[in-house]
């Protein structure tokens, strides 16, 4: 099973961040399928390589058709963000979802601060959360030192997104009953 399949099944927030990274890896490798397959160490034997190659070919085709070769995200990834945003709104209307609301309000100053600094006020709060976490992830991958403030902000936003991802999984499995949360 590919990392993407495992993440999609178990943690939609990590899946979305992973897929954004895959989009950037495709761009960084010049949309060259063979470079992408060779750089991936997740396949077992030729069957795994064939499946991986097909996966990259499909993603490259979608990126080309959707006009996101230079920047932006695939519609399938944007759709997940839309679904998560809709779920967030439903949870915020729930009278008994106090833990979730506490995590959200704890992260909210970080979200507002990021949006003001990044000039992304036209984007939704949830998209800003993911952009922030993706940026932190990229800095860590580059071995950059993060300020204490950034580490704190990342922890708050991460806790909020983790709770949203847990609710998302329950919702997808038909196990989320917001009336019962009261």
């Amino acid at each position: 099973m590919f990392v993407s399949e495992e993440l999609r099944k178990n943690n939609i927030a990590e899946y979305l961040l992973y897929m954004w990274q895959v989009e950037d890896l495709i761009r960084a490798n010049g949309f060259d399928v063979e470079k992408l397959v060779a750089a991936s160490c997740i396949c077992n034997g030729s069957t795994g390589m064939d499946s991986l190659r097909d996966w990259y070919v499909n993603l490259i085709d979608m990126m080309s058709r959707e006009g996101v070769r230079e920047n932006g995200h695939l519609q399938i990834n944007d759709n997940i963000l839309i679904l998560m945003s809709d779920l967030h709104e439903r949870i915020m209307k729930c009278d008994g979802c106090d833990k979730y609301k506490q995590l959200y309000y704890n992260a909210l100053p970080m979200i507002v601060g990021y949006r003001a600094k990044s000039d992304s006020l036209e984007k939704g709060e949830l998209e800003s959360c993911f952009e922030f976490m993706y940026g932190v992830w990229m800095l860590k991958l580059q071995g950059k030192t993060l300020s204490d403030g950034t580490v704190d902000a990342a922890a708050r936003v991460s806790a909020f997104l983790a709770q949203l991802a847990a609710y998302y999984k329950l919702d997808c499995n038909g196990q989320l009953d917001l009336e019962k949360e009261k």
Side-chain angles (χ1 to χ4, degrees):
M1 178 180 284
F2 291 139
V3 170
S4 61
E5 293 169 348
E6 189 68 29
L7 288 174
R8 185 172 180 125
K9 186 170 66 169
N10 293 313
N11 189 321
I12 198 67
E14 288 181 8
Y15 168 80
L16 189 58
L17 291 170
Y18 176 80
M19 290 305 297
W20 283 9
Q21 182 186 35
V22 168
E23 291 169 342
D24 282 346
L25 286 171
I26 290 170
R27 291 178 185 114
N29 283 283
F31 294 81
D32 186 324
V33 174
E34 297 312 316
K35 281 184 186 177
L36 292 160
V37 171
S40 299
C41 303
I42 60 172
C43 50
N44 299 327
S46 62
T47 303
M49 288 187 76
D50 289 343
S51 296
L52 184 61
R53 183 177 288 104
D54 291 344
W55 184 65
Y56 279 126
V57 165
N58 288 331
L59 289 174
I60 289 168
D61 181 54
M62 285 190 292
M63 288 176 76
S64 296
R65 282 187 286 119
E66 294 177 18
V68 293
R69 286 182 66 95
E70 298 296 318
N71 55 45
H73 301 292
L74 288 167
Q75 188 62 50
I76 58 171
N77 296 328
D78 286 344
N79 289 347
I80 291 169
L81 194 55
I82 291 167
L83 291 171
M84 291 181 80
S85 295
D86 290 346
L87 178 60
H88 168 71
E89 293 301 320
R90 286 181 22 227
I91 297 168
M92 291 303 291
K93 292 176 184 172
C94 173
D95 290 333
C97 298
D98 295 336
K99 178 184 175 188
Y100 178 86
K101 290 176 185 178
Q102 181 181 13
L103 290 168
Y104 168 70
Y105 289 123
N106 193 35
L108 188 57
M110 311 314 140
I111 299 166
V112 171
Y114 172 78
R115 293 177 79 198
K117 288 180 185 176
S118 67
D119 204 26
S120 65
L121 295 175
E122 73 282 352
K123 296 178 182 174
E125 287 180 351
L126 204 54
E127 185 174 0
S128 294
C129 287
F130 279 100
E131 283 184 356
F132 172 72
M133 293 306 298
Y134 186 75
V136 167
W137 189 16
M138 291 298 105
L139 290 172
K140 285 181 179 180
L141 287 174
Q142 295 169 12
K144 307 276 179 158
T145 303
L146 302 176
S147 71
D148 291 343
T150 301
V151 170
D152 177 58
R156 291 178 189 212
V157 173
S158 179
F160 161 62
L161 289 177
Q163 186 62 54
L164 179 58
Y167 276 129
Y168 184 91
K169 183 176 180 181
L170 289 173
D171 195 39
C172 286
N173 292 333
Q175 299 171 325
L176 181 62
D177 183 0
L178 294 176
E179 290 297 316
K180 192 173 160 181
E181 294 288 327
K182 291 182 180 180

